[in-house]
Amino acid sequence: MEPGSVPISSEEKMMRTQVGIVGAGPAGLMLAHLLHLQGIESVIIEARSRQYIEERVRAGVLEQGTVDILNRTGIGERMRKEGLLHHGIEIGFQEKRHRIDMTDLTGKAVVVYGQHEVVKDLVNARLGSGGKIVFNVEQVSIHRLNDEHPVIHFSENGTLEQLHCDYIAGCDGFHGICRQSIPEGALTVYDRIYPFAWLGILADAPPSQEELVYANHERGFALYSMRSPKVTRLYLQCDPAEDIANWSDDRIWSELLTRLIGVDGWQPNQGPILQKSVTPMRSFVVEPMQYGRLFLAGDSAHIVPPTGAKGMNLAIADVRVLAHGLAAYYKSGNSETLAAYSETCLRRVWKVQRFSWWMTSILHRFPDANSFDQRRQTAELDYVTSSEAGARSLAENYVGLPLNLANELAG
């Protein structure tokens, strides 16, 4: 047996691939799809079932760049039919709504299309092309990250397996094992916990208007959104320790109407609440986003507050950079682009963190804010909604900053 190799017992199976991907969320699935288009082999392992990942409802505002890459790589057909194209957003404060026309300001737009729908489309494409996804795995661990051939150990249906690969992509989320497998001290962690959370609901009610409304109110932030032509998605700022059991449907609707109704009388349509939950808010980044032959992508490397609608978009941007670097390596043996993965991603990550923090800071009521802070916040909202320069900056960030990858695959 060669030095540093992993012994294989008679009860273990061994597989070999070029890129081992841990996690079948948008990041892992999109990475596998991009690699497939370049002729690069990969295997995805996922701790949950296919049904679970396809039904796990998450936010779904897609930046222009995310829409473009889905279309260019053959994944966008259902999105084009069912997604809701949005050319602007509205910001409400002091009982008035102000529209930011993103398309007029930037020439771009966003599409509302649920994350679980993107996952369904990517899973179908993956399995339809003969790609491998191993669901319901257990006992996942990763080894030999500094060797030429790192190894992923896992159990499938009680059988221990080893996946030998050239590189590992850690796309397994904030609580996944990949980041935790990096030696202590190798990463610098930046973390911020916000003093509020979002109480979110899905309502069986058709949207009462076509664009999102972000509302700053003396009782706290509220957001009107949608998931489909028949289902509305709404959020309320609340305490992080809030017990969802204390929020009856009537109480939720009463609070939403209080915070969203303006002088023009507009209000969201009401209907049965299909789902409700409380989501804490935080900002989180680790640097670097790579260690040896392991590359972190998506929530395993960073978390943003949902105010700017950036979570999935940032994950997709990460794997576009990673796929670009891997393609260059396998095509020519040049590893410079791959070695720059973390630096390239982090430039965009921190810009997105800045925007998400800024959106959060101007729209939410902070517990320790005084009258000066509140007047300054109102002035910021007034500037953004009355200045073309201010509105353009918001719109540019909201529709998505450019990735600028030279010679990125076109599908």
Side-chain angles (χ1 to χ4, degrees):
M1 184 166 53
E2 296 181 2
S5 63
V6 179
I8 302 174
S9 74
S10 59
E11 297 179 353
E12 286 182 303
K13 294 168 56 181
M14 186 180 77
M15 294 190 291
R16 179 75 175 88
T17 192
Q18 290 173 292
V19 181
I21 301 173
V22 184
L29 289 164
M30 190 66 194
L31 175 61
H33 180 62
L34 294 173
L35 295 177
H36 168 72
L37 294 178
Q38 292 284 3
I40 301 169
E41 295 180 355
S42 66
V43 172
I44 305 173
I45 65 169
E46 168 58 48
R48 303 284 191 171
S49 67
R50 177 179 180 178
Q51 179 180 0
Y52 179 89
I53 66 168
E54 291 185 342
E55 294 179 356
R56 179 175 49 189
V57 177
R58 292 289 187 271
V61 176
L62 308 185
E63 293 177 352
Q64 183 73 65
T66 302
V67 171
D68 291 345
I69 196 67
L70 290 172
N71 283 328
R72 288 208 310 268
T73 59
I75 302 295
E77 181 178 358
R78 198 161 65 92
M79 175 191 65
R80 291 192 298 272
K81 294 178 181 177
E82 301 177 14
L84 306 175
L85 182 64
H86 286 201
H87 296 285
I89 61 171
E90 293 191 357
I91 295 179
F93 66 101
Q94 295 185 325
E95 297 188 339
K96 293 183 180 180
R97 289 179 294 141
H98 308 261
R99 185 170 185 268
I100 306 293
D101 191 324
M102 298 181 299
T103 301
D104 182 60
L105 292 164
T106 69
K108 301 177 182 178
V110 298
V111 171
V112 173
Y113 187 65
Q115 176 174 309
H116 62 293
E117 304 296 350
V118 175
V119 166
K120 288 178 188 176
D121 296 338
L122 287 167
V123 168
N124 286 335
R126 175 70 174 173
L127 299 180
S129 66
K132 190 173 182 61
I133 308 175
V134 187
F135 292 104
N136 298 306
V137 301
E138 299 177 320
Q139 299 175 268
V140 180
S141 60
I142 57 177
H143 306 270
R144 294 175 20 181
L145 298 180
N146 286 312
D147 289 0
E148 288 188 3
H149 299 292
V151 183
I152 304 173
H153 288 210
F154 63 96
S155 173
E156 179 189 9
N157 297 323
T159 300
L160 298 176
E161 307 215 21
Q162 291 188 17
L163 177 60
H164 292 241
C165 38
D166 301 328
Y167 296 99
I168 297 175
C171 305
D172 53 342
F174 181 77
H175 299 289
I177 61 95
C178 287
R179 188 182 70 250
Q180 299 174 30
S181 300
I182 296 175
E184 186 176 354
L187 299 178
T188 301
V189 177
Y190 301 89
D191 199 6
R192 176 172 185 170
I193 306 297
Y194 291 86
F196 39 73
W198 279 12
L199 190 160
I201 68 166
L202 280 176
D204 187 10
S208 57
Q209 76 158 37
E210 295 182 352
E211 296 178 343
L212 278 66
V213 178
Y214 290 81
N216 174 298
H217 190 271
E218 62 183 9
R219 295 179 61 86
F221 168 75
L223 171 61
Y224 159 86
S225 182
M226 65 286 296
R227 283 296 169 267
S228 74
K230 296 181 180 180
V231 177
T232 307
R233 183 70 156 161
L234 302 109
Y235 298 93
L236 289 168
Q237 177 184 343
C238 67
D239 189 278
E242 196 70 64
D243 185 351
I244 195 68
N246 294 330
W247 285 82
S248 66
D249 291 6
D250 287 343
R251 182 187 177 191
I252 291 173
W253 283 118
S254 175
E255 193 65 30
L256 282 167
L257 295 179
T258 297
R259 299 186 193 185
L260 288 171
I261 292 178
V263 292
D264 61 357
W266 170 83
Q267 60 181 288
N269 290 329
Q270 299 181 53
I273 294 178
L274 307 173
Q275 180 187 100
K276 53 186 172 182
S277 61
V278 173
T279 302
M281 297 183 67
R282 77 186 305 161
S283 296
F284 174 87
V285 181
V286 293
E287 295 186 5
M289 290 171 55
Q290 60 192 99
Y291 176 82
R293 295 254 170 168
L294 169 65
F295 296 85
L296 302 177
D299 286 359
S300 66
H302 41 70
I303 299 286
V304 291
T307 323
K310 295 300 176 190
M312 178 169 58
N313 294 293
L314 203 50
I316 296 295
D318 288 346
V319 297
R320 288 174 64 186
V321 176
L322 182 53
H324 188 59
L326 289 167
Y329 171 76
Y330 282 112
K331 182 177 181 180
S332 65
N334 187 332
S335 61
E336 292 182 4
T337 303
L338 197 56
Y341 167 76
S342 182
E343 180 183 357
T344 303
C345 287
L346 284 169
R347 286 191 65 197
R348 195 172 195 275
V349 166
W350 279 112
K351 289 176 184 177
V352 170
Q353 288 284 2
R354 182 209 68 81
F355 174 68
S356 298
W357 169 85
W358 176 77
M359 283 280 284
T360 301
S361 69
I362 66 171
L363 290 166
H364 291 73
R365 290 295 170 130
F366 285 75
D368 59 350
N370 56 31
S371 58
F372 177 88
D373 295 325
Q374 291 173 3
R375 293 300 295 269
R376 177 189 52 77
Q377 188 182 61
T378 301
E380 180 81 1
L381 290 165
D382 187 20
Y383 171 71
V384 168
T385 56
S386 62
S387 161
E388 181 176 334
R392 189 184 304 279
S393 177
L394 187 157
E396 179 186 42
N397 282 272
Y398 199 92
V399 300
L401 299 173
L403 203 52
N404 295 328
L405 291 179
N407 302 316
E408 186 181 16
L409 70 144

